Amino acid sequence: MPEELNFLPSLTGSFAKPAAENPTVEMVEAAYRHHGLHWRYVNTEVGPEDLGAAVAGARAMNWVGFNCSLPNKVEVIRHLDGLGESAKVIGAVNCVVRRGDQLIGENTDGKGFLKSLEEVIDPAGKQVVMFGAGGAARAIGVEVALAGATHITIVNRSENRGLELVALLNDKTPAEATFEKWDGVYSVADAVDVVINATSIGLYPDIDARLTLSLDSLLADMVVADVIPNPPRTNLIKDAEARGCKVLDGLGMLVNQGITGIEYWTGVTVDGGVMRARLEELFGI
Ligand code: NDP
């Protein structure tokens, strides 16, 4: 048995739900195959009521780690032994890593976004407008602020979540953050460098949905990024492209958070191109 194989053979096939066609599973397993890594990434559906037992199970089975998604990203923290630096600031965990005999919570969502943003623009010294104030927005806001963005405007429908994120950014990062309530057609100011949709608007099946945003305010020298991974070509991406903006789809974030997670678990930096190609195949683009 290869040394890296980290599932006990007796557990093979014990998961109730097969992972077929889960994009994240397909993406990670494509990287494992490409690099000849004898690891497995499986999808299990765990509700909040079973979260403690599931984490104890992962511990007992010596898993090197796991990802967790909504609604478990905050709740999982009380079952862990510690948090990485940005997970502590963000207050949410999407990636758990075994270090020694401890399970440590990390947040790779924001790191993944930042990596894909840095491929087209250095956020240091830049002005950012971000729609949304949920989990993805918190993770992105913190990482972009820590990477040196000078000003971040949070535009959100609900005031309390928006103000909470602005307070977090002002208290815990060097960036200056302000809130604008999103209750009409929003116009992006000319001086803005990066526009980010971190809401769930446009996510399958609501693929026709559009942000209430003045498209005329999107200028060709702006970078427009969308977190929506499915479908990757959202209306925002298409509209921004038509205005001449540089665009970043949600697959970049998904791939890069995957690369970081795999690095944490295996120590290997995998090829993002292979992961993206598998996702594009799945999404038919
Ligand atoms: P949350 O539920 O925590 O937050 C959702 C956000 O979207 C809130 O700010 C909410 O506003 C806003 N929103 C939702 N619907 C509307 C609407 N109709 N009009 C205005 N605002 C709206 O979700 P997450 O932050 O966890 O996820 C957001 C998106 O990010 C999801 O689509 C998810 O798929 C994507 N994502 C992508 C990743 C990637 O790797 N590409 C990784 C993680 C997430 P309000 O506060 O007013 O409710």
Side-chain angles (χ1 to χ4, degrees):
M1 185 172 67
E3 217 182 310
E4 312 94 308
L5 191 63
N6 66 325
F7 278 87
L8 300 179
S10 60
L11 290 172
T12 307
S14 66
F15 296 98
K17 291 215 172 198
E21 300 290 285
N22 173 304
T24 310
V25 172
E26 294 291 317
M27 173 186 88
V28 173
E29 291 263 313
Y32 288 173
R33 273 194 305 278
H34 178 76
H35 291 277
L37 294 168
H38 298 288
W39 297 71
R40 294 294 175 271
Y41 186 87
V42 293
N43 186 45
T44 59
E45 288 183 20
V46 179
E49 65 288 355
D50 292 323
L51 192 55
V55 176
R59 238 185 243 281
M61 289 185 283
N62 247 355
W63 287 16
V64 290
F66 52 91
N67 284 125
C68 49
S69 55
L70 287 178
N72 298 328
K73 289 183 177 183
V74 175
E75 191 57 21
V76 74
I77 292 174
R78 64 193 186 93
H79 304 293
L80 304 177
D81 304 305
L83 295 179
E85 198 185 328
S86 54
K88 211 179 284 175
V89 178
I90 295 161
V93 163
N94 76 318
C95 181
V96 175
V97 187
R98 195 184 72 213
R99 297 196 176 115
D101 60 359
Q102 297 206 313
L103 288 179
I104 304 297
E106 297 281 358
N107 195 307
T108 58
D109 281 335
K111 292 182 201 302
F113 179 86
L114 184 64
K115 253 193 207 174
S116 74
L117 182 66
E118 284 173 340
E119 285 165 17
V120 296
I121 191 173
D122 177 359
K126 301 296 190 301
Q127 296 207 28
V128 176
V129 164
M130 180 162 64
F131 296 93
R138 282 173 80 88
I140 291 169
V142 166
E143 295 293 350
V144 169
L146 294 177
T150 42
H151 192 275
I152 304 179
T153 306
I154 301 298
V155 184
N156 199 52
R157 181 180 58 180
S158 78
E159 193 163 345
N160 53 347
R161 277 224 268 190
L163 288 172
E164 207 180 295
L165 176 52
V166 163
L168 171 81
L169 295 172
N170 284 327
D171 290 351
K172 302 271 176 66
T173 79
E176 185 197 357
T178 49
F179 173 68
E180 292 201 32
K181 188 164 164 51
W182 197 7
D183 52 10
V185 178
Y186 188 83
S187 275
V188 178
D190 291 358
V192 168
D193 305 288
V194 180
V195 178
I196 304 166
N197 173 36
T199 73
S200 42
I201 298 170
L203 184 67
Y204 181 86
D206 295 319
I207 59 172
D208 293 328
R210 271 195 160 81
L211 278 75
T212 43
L213 162 70
S214 158
L215 294 180
D216 287 341
S217 71
L218 295 181
L219 306 180
D221 60 354
M222 293 176 180
V223 172
V224 177
D226 203 328
V227 297
I228 301 297
N230 179 22
R233 285 189 59 74
T234 56
N235 279 331
L236 177 64
I237 292 289
K238 291 181 207 164
D239 291 339
E241 224 168 40
R243 299 274 310 157
C245 307
K246 202 166 266 183
V247 296
L248 280 177
D249 66 26
L251 294 188
M253 177 177 176
L254 186 58
V255 166
N256 282 304
Q257 63 80 26
I259 293 175
T260 304
I262 296 170
E263 255 166 16
Y264 281 147
W265 299 323
T266 72
V268 176
T269 303
V270 294
D271 180 351
V274 169
M275 297 161 85
R276 184 166 179 114
R278 182 66 189 117
L279 290 173
E280 288 184 354
E281 197 177 6
L282 281 179
F283 292 125
I285 57 169

